[in-house]
Amino acid sequence: MRHDNDHGTRTVILGVAASDSHVVANQLIALGLRAQGWHVVNLGACTSVAEFAAAYADHPRAEAVVIGSLNGHAYEDLRDLPAVRADGLLDCPVVLGGNLSVGSYKDSADLERLYALGVDVIMSDPEALPATLDGLRARTTTAGAS
């Protein structure tokens, strides 16, 4: 079933990583984006990479997939991302935020591993998400114009 948004409303696919059931931030982000006029496809907690790809197939005009992870297992939850990207099943920016590694000490190598999986943007402040999405759209528009 295809659910394109043909009304000009910007669409984002939102969800929480596969092993994570923390949905409070997810719900707040969805409410905030909807208040700003976004069409939010919120997949909720425990969303696998395959489920994000399926949602993208239903909403191919989505500007980004936004994934939250608070339990520190983002890397393990996104291990299938390179294969899905290589197969062309998720061809939009992937934005990731939350507590992205286990433990209180955060190493930049943890973030580099996530970028290597195919994450485009790693965020620490959810309030910056709308500006980040605007930046991704501008980057796509500029790339498409050249």
Side-chain angles (χ1 to χ4, degrees), residues 73-123:
H73 297 287
Y75 182 79
E76 292 79 8
D77 289 340
L78 299 179
R79 281 182 184 238
D80 295 337
L81 186 57
V84 168
R85 295 280 230 182
D87 290 342
L89 301 175
L90 193 52
D91 193 26
C92 68
V94 173
V95 178
L96 177 66
N99 177 34
L100 303 177
S101 62
V102 176
S104 58
Y105 176 74
K106 304 300 179 189
D107 189 333
S108 63
D110 295 329
L111 302 182
E112 292 305 319
R113 288 185 337 147
L114 292 164
Y115 285 124
L117 288 177
V119 172
D120 296 286
V121 177
I122 296 175
M123 300 189 62

Side-chain angles (χ1 to χ4, degrees), residues 9-15 25-42 63-67 95 123 126-134:
T9 303
R10 296 171 70 185
T11 298
V12 66
I13 299 168
L14 178 66
N26 168 275
Q27 294 296 319
L28 293 172
I29 291 168
L31 286 170
L33 289 173
R34 287 181 179 131
Q36 294 179 33
W38 284 83
H39 173 67
V40 178
V41 178
N42 191 353
E63 294 186 26
V65 166
V66 179
I67 303 171
V95 178
M123 300 189 62
E127 290 187 20
L129 182 57
T132 298
L133 294 171
D134 288 346

